[in-house]
Amino acid sequence: MNQAIENLLQRFGEAVHEWKLVSPNEVHLTVSASHWREVAQYLRDDPLWQMDYPADLTVWDTGNEFGVYLRLWCSVYNRNVIVLTSIPREEPRIASLATLYPGVDWHEREMYDMYGVIFEGHPNLKRILLPDDWEGFPFRKDYVAEPSGNPLHGPQPVN
Amino acid sequence: MIEAITQFFTQHPLLWAFVKAVVLASFTLVIPLAVIYVERKIAGFIQSRLGPLHVGPQGTFQTAADALKLLLKEDIVPEGADKRFFYLAPYIAFVSTVLCFMVLPFAPGWVALEMNVAVLFIIGVSLFNVVSILMAGWSSNNKYSLLGGLRAVAQLLSYEIPMVLSVLAVVFYTGSLSLTGIIEYQVKHGWNIWHPPIMIAALIYFICALAEINRTPFDLPEAESELVSGFNTEYSGMRFAFFFASEFANNFFITAFAAALFFGGWDGPVLPPIVWTFLKVFVMIFVFMWLRWTPPRLRIDQILRFAWQLLVPVSLANLLFAIALGVR
Amino acid sequence: MVINVGPQHPSTHGVLRLILTLDGEQILACEPVIGYLHRGLEKMMERRPYRHNIPFTDRLDYLAALSNNLAICQCIERLGGVEVPERAQYIRVLLMELQRIASHLVFLGTFGTDLGATTMFLYAFREREMVLDLLEECTGARLTYNWVRVGGVPDDLPEGFGQKVLDFVKLFRQRIEEYDMLLTRNRIFRSRTQGIGVIPKETALAYGCSGPVARASGIPYDIRKVAPYEVYNRVEFDVPVFEDGDVWARYLVRMEELRQSLRIIEQVLRDMPDGPVQTKLPKIFKPPAGIAYSRVESPRGELSFMMVSDGGANPVRVHIRAPSFVNLSVLPRLLEGAKVADLVAILGSIDVVLGEIDR
Amino acid sequence: MSRQRAMRDTEYNPLVYFIDGLVTLFNGMVVTWRNLWRPKITVRYPYQRRPVPPRYRGLFYLKWNEEKQRLNCVGCTLCAQACPTDVISMVKLGKGTHAGVSEFTMDLGRCMFCNLCVEACPFDAIYMGPNYELASERRDVSLFRIADLAQGGEEAVRKNIETIERLLAEEEKAKPAHAAHAAGGQSE
């Protein structure tokens, strides 16, 4: 594990802002958004890592920026890696991992749906849970959740 | 009095034919009520349920109430349906069943139309059923119905062949095309089912019968979980009732036919012949129902493969066997 | 021919819509359309204090509500560093395994109906009712249990509960034999399931399949073994793994899991210590800032909650990694070239619950 | 972790498959035959009812305290705060040691029956009862008022208010000086 982390740090240098060994088989990495895809690809292909299982991908909104969270699992060594990064709210763009890991395809679509994060290079980036004509991105902190802001609003229920 | 009536009808044969037709048609309408009720009860008991319970004693009038409800329901014709065929299909299904009952002997002399080629007639007429299903499936203008209708045609036609071959085995063995003749042969020589070639024929007939009346494991045309309800998806009200009635009457008929071919028809000790016919039919119907609630359903390619790869060759060979043994 | 399966269809198991392109009975392409049940639960959770969110999770995977309760509670516990008393952990494991049996029985029943064996449905639900009766006696509800709390479980087991569970286990062993006789060994059932909807191991890994779907494809990914939570490292059980990846293997995995669950239940009841069942927590619960996630092996696969806290009373973000959501994303690949009749078998074997897909 | 290959069948052979099919079908029919004679499990619901276990979470009720002749509820709103969906609202009656409620409403249309309010209550005042037949065709009847919730109904609510008012009045009488002092302190 230590060797693997060393190799990773050597390979990416400054791009890995922070790393933390949470438990013997779990690492948390904070990387820069520009190296998002490279790091993921490295983690998948490097024989010391072999993180071949995309467990989870999500985005959150702190009000200032979007955080991106990717959790990978390795079926060979039973290890977990959590990769974190942050992207600016004004221009939420990040490289898509859908071609690397088909499993994050729907996760990325959902995050686009809810936060409006553009995953560059995604094969089919369109809304997944909400209807195609929905306006706005409801999970953003500044989304106005009034019924009138909802394009689907109909008559209010009466008894 | 009875003599007078007999004389009256002998003088007016057309009227007598009309009476017989009406009686048979109503019989075809009433018998499904009983069969459906029994089916629901048996299904319930097998599945740890109670089945219908509240309309009438032990729910006996439940099916009648359902039939009444269906008759009173709004008759919905889907937009874009091919109206003529859509209207016609259920009645064709029903008429084909009634026609089959025409030549079926229930007891000595109890037959609407004594025909010396009854078996041939039944084989011919029952094929109308396929036509009606295809008509219903096509004219509904619904993709599920169409899939169901096409499945039905493929399946019914494939199973018609081994079925006819196994029936022919009986015909050659007994040397008669008339149902009454076949039964009388059995009264003299013992039931056909105990004779080796007919045993195999009976097994094949049994399997094909399941397929012909669309029962599990051959209920593909109305595979509920895949095609919603298959060819009769778009039908409601009276027309649906006719499909349903003809299906269950068919169920009754196919077992009665089997009783005549393999189990000696009305033949049996002590009880009157008519009771024996019904007894045999209901035992067989019970087995069909028991079977229906047990296995899953097959897939269309498996069904066809089974029919063409196994049933057709085996029934052909069996037919030769029967001919060889039957010629006397 | 383009045909719409769902959102109202007998075998889509909820409001799932599949747009199929057919060539006769052959499926050329399939596009799932989801979101009919979307309620924005994740957003709702952001606006409420941590512990108020537990009842909402009942509505995710409504067939295995306790797994969801456990997942969110574990996540909050990790975020706030809360310890769980030992007895509570045993109770949790006991209820989880009962829940797994109930959920797999729904799978068994609906899968049987999908393939036309209607009676199987009634039998499976008959036994499920027994499990629900047990759970009702313990938790007070039949579907939305809400019976896990941060730092334990709300109450101890009722009097005589253990004996009732053991009685059930004894009866259920016989019933599994019966299911095998009725369905598993049936020739028709086997020809309907074998070699259908094969997910190769590489595909299952790349798509992030979990639960029985992954295990049927040869990936030994069971959170109970890979990252044991509660007391799963103290009980002995096997994880069934098959190499074939077809519908049949997925079915067998679930059947075997039923047996293993019974084993776990017996061991848990034997080893359960006495003691308190809940840790006392402050009324306003404010975990320190940070990110935490929890993984739970729900009956459908890896159910994971991820929470971001900024030290306030409400979470900043709650993310639910729903196993059905990920497993369903393989469906378009599986259905290419399959028959219409296989559609229901394949979809049934993935065992999706729309409540957690749409969240 | 056990790793095994699924029970595989031999190459397709129509006759073998057919015979196997008949045998396994017969096995299955044995099972269904056995079940045909088992006792039926149907509960004919409106005519028969299952016993409700003591922990069942149905419509909740306010506990009546026979000894003190009042409802246990003191109107502290802890339950309302614990509720994730704002089901509960109440009007407090009096204050201090003899506080109670004069009105307590529950919006059933929002209730999830999650039991969090019961767990939050420190006074043993609310419980979830065995009543589960709460379906209705109208929305306005989903609002349950105190008389619907209290154990003992209208009668209990009336007695509850009486008791609390009496106690408050007694308390007023018992410590007039203290109360006057407090009032004076406020005015200064």
Side-chain angles (χ1 to χ4, degrees), chain C residues 57 60 68 71-72 75 292-294 303-307 318-320:
Chain C
T57 58
L60 284 169
N68 308 333
I72 191 171
C75 192
Y293 75 95
S294 66
L303 174 69
S304 144
F305 272 69
M306 176 275 217
M307 277 189 177
V318 181
H319 171 73
I320 303 155

Side-chain angles (χ1 to χ4, degrees), chain D:
Chain D
M1 232 164 279
S2 68
R3 192 176 266 272
Q4 43 195 294
R5 280 190 72 79
M7 191 162 72
R8 273 300 108 175
D9 290 320
T10 44
E11 208 53 17
Y12 176 73
N13 176 334
L15 201 64
V16 172
Y17 265 46
F18 175 62
I19 292 166
D20 187 29
L22 282 187
V23 171
T24 50
L25 183 63
F26 180 75
N27 279 344
M29 284 171 81
V30 169
V31 173
T32 39
W33 177 259
R34 236 187 269 156
N35 278 284
L36 187 61
W37 306 109
R38 282 213 183 123
K40 308 293 167 255
I41 52 156
T42 308
V43 179
R44 292 181 292 139
Y45 163 58
Y47 310 108
Q48 294 176 334
R49 267 154 228 258
R50 292 175 52 250
V52 176
R55 283 191 185 174
Y56 187 80
R57 308 204 300 259
L59 180 66
F60 61 66
Y61 60 86
L62 297 169
K63 204 170 182 190
W64 171 254
N65 192 327
E66 190 60 41
E67 201 181 311
K68 293 183 183 162
Q69 286 292 307
R70 56 165 291 176
L71 296 171
N72 268 347
C73 182
V74 300
C76 65
T77 69
L78 274 178
C79 50
Q81 285 165 36
C83 181
T85 47
D86 299 337
V87 168
I88 302 168
S89 60
M90 59 186 87
V91 177
K92 196 169 177 170
L93 180 69
K95 56 179 195 290
T97 43
H98 297 306
V101 278
S102 60
E103 183 55 277
F104 192 104
T105 53
M106 174 202 177
D107 186 355
L108 193 72
R110 308 169 71 108
C111 185
M112 300 196 284
F113 302 98
C114 65
N115 212 31
L116 289 182
C117 50
V118 179
E119 279 161 39
C121 183
F123 297 98
D124 208 21
I126 54 177
Y127 278 98
M128 293 213 138
N131 182 8
Y132 54 87
E133 285 160 320
L134 302 164
S136 114
E137 290 177 354
R138 281 162 53 211
R139 230 174 230 232
D140 50 344
V141 296
S142 72
L143 202 69
F144 280 69
R145 311 195 80 88
I146 187 164
D148 308 318
L149 298 172
Q151 249 181 350
E154 298 272 3
E155 179 71 15
V157 175
R158 198 174 46 78
K159 276 196 203 155
N160 175 45
I161 294 175
E162 265 172 26
T163 314
I164 288 165
E165 273 172 354
R166 183 171 50 80
L167 285 172
L168 285 171
E170 274 170 15
E171 193 183 41
E172 200 80 357
K173 254 188 266 168
K175 315 177 196 169
H178 185 73
H181 181 75
Q186 262 171 15
S187 63
E188 270 171 45

